Structures are given as structure tokens and as C-alpha cells.
Amino acid sequence: MRAMRAPARGFTLVELIVALVLMAGMAAVLFGSLSLAARSWDGGEAKALQTSDMRSTQTYLREQLSAEFPQRLWKAVEMPLLFAGERDEIRYAAVLPARVAEGGIYHFRLAVVRAGEKSQLVQERAIPDLTALQEPEFRDAERSVLADDIAELRIAYFGRDPAAADVDRPTWRDRWDDKQRLPLLVRIDVKPAKGAAWPTLVVEPRPGPEAGCLAWDPAQNRCARAG
């Protein structure tokens, strides 16, 4: 007997449509999973980069402010220190690391400035003119960006009033007006536009209010003659 061959049976239109729908659903689920994984990866990288920037910036500021140099304007009235503290910025003299440019003592300004639609934590630097009659400005200063997308910079200073004696109790304040003494401590709080605030940075400037003086008047608690 001859073997009878069964006729080949193809897919019906309904079966083909169901298969296509299932494949489309699986592709959508797979694409969503990949997109979620990519966003999670990008978010993790951004957070890691932000944390790295925060740590490196805080380390740099701690090292520099703790070595703040009590530089004075020799020809200005009362020979004031090159130090000024406000709630949202600080100006000081410090040594620039030798790995940056040529090193040496510079006049620095730390503040948050607008850059288009974003705000940046920047540090400006200029070579101090010690023969100036007043504190120099930062019109043509070089600028370094320490961190991007910063919403707020808040600085506080721990010390005594300019006319206070050493036995008086120091307090925290939003500005520093004493041109003859440095604050005992400087506290810096940085709040990014997104994410958690940075850990509070507390730095003790280099002690030595008599630095740069040839004669110190203990009665007036100020420099009598600079050198």
C-alpha cells in the first residue's frame, strides 16, 4: 500500500495575530526593563560622581582653610588681615598647592555664582597686592569650579567680637568683621540643587593673629606695625 501523506497544516490568521501580540508584549517588557536598568545605572553613576566631587571639594577646602595665611595689607589703615567673612562667601589668603599653576600665596574668594540656568560653587583667586590701601576686588581673577548644581552656600564663623577680650565667650555668627583676628572656627554648609546636603565642614584656621607683625599692641589687641 502506498503511504498516504497528511496535508501540511499552516497557522491560522488568529494564531499569527496572537503570536505577534505576545512577541510585542515581551519586547515591551524587555525594553522597559532595559530602560529601567539604564536609568538606575545612570543615576548611580551621577550619585557616585556627586559624592566624589563633594569629598574632593571638602578635602581641598579643609586643607586650604586650615592653612589660611594671616596676610596683612601693609599700607592700609590699621594694617588689616586679608580676611572677610559673609554668610554666603568668604575671602582669605592661603597657599595655592604647587601642583596647581606655580603655587604661592593667593587671595581667594569662595562663593556660589550663577552660570546660565545653573549655580556653581566656585573659587576665585588673584595675586594679593600688599601695598593696596584697601582690600582688592576679584574683577580679573582666575576661577575654578569646585561643584555644579549648588543651590546654597552658608558659612558661619566662631569667635569673639572685635572689642572683646580673650576671656569673653566666643559665639557663632553669620559674618566676620574683625580685621585684626581670624575666627577660631569656620563652618561651611553646602546644599545641592538635588539630593541631600553635604556633611557640615568645620575648619580651624591657622592660629597666630600676630603673624606678619613686627609689633603687636596687647592693649588694643591689634597689629601696630607689619613686616
Side-chain angles (χ1 to χ4, degrees), residues 46-183:
K47 187 174 182 179
L49 182 60
Q50 185 181 34
T51 301
S52 176
D53 289 343
M54 177 269 293
R55 289 178 177 174
S56 60
T57 298
Q58 285 199 325
T59 299
Y60 171 72
L61 291 177
R62 182 185 297 278
E63 293 177 352
Q64 195 177 55
L65 287 172
S66 62
E68 195 276 340
F69 193 81
Q71 187 70 67
R72 294 179 179 273
L73 297 178
W74 299 339
K75 295 187 177 182
V77 178
E78 297 184 343
M79 289 162 284
L81 289 166
L82 266 181
F83 187 94
E86 300 290 341
R87 179 186 177 278
D88 55 356
E89 73 171 54
I90 181 173
R91 303 184 181 198
Y92 58 95
V95 176
L96 186 68
R99 64 179 182 273
V100 182
E102 66 279 1
I105 298 176
Y106 279 74
H107 191 204
F108 292 94
R109 173 179 176 262
L110 179 70
V112 171
V113 300
R114 296 288 301 178
E117 297 181 355
K118 298 181 179 180
S119 296
Q120 297 176 325
L121 178 64
V122 303
Q123 185 188 60
E124 298 174 333
R125 68 177 185 267
I127 299 176
D129 181 7
L130 302 183
T131 63
L133 300 181
Q134 60 184 5
E135 185 176 329
E137 297 295 333
F138 288 83
R139 293 189 181 92
D140 299 322
E142 297 182 56
R143 175 178 293 182
S144 299
V145 178
L146 302 183
D148 288 309
D149 296 333
I150 300 300
E152 182 182 16
L153 170 66
R154 184 162 187 171
I155 310 174
Y157 311 88
F158 186 71
R160 301 176 179 86
D161 292 329
D166 290 339
V167 296
D168 293 336
R169 186 176 181 179
T171 58
W172 285 103
R173 58 202 65 209
D174 287 336
R175 61 179 296 157
W176 188 256
D177 297 319
D178 195 340
K179 292 298 184 180
Q180 298 300 325
R181 292 188 294 189
L182 298 176

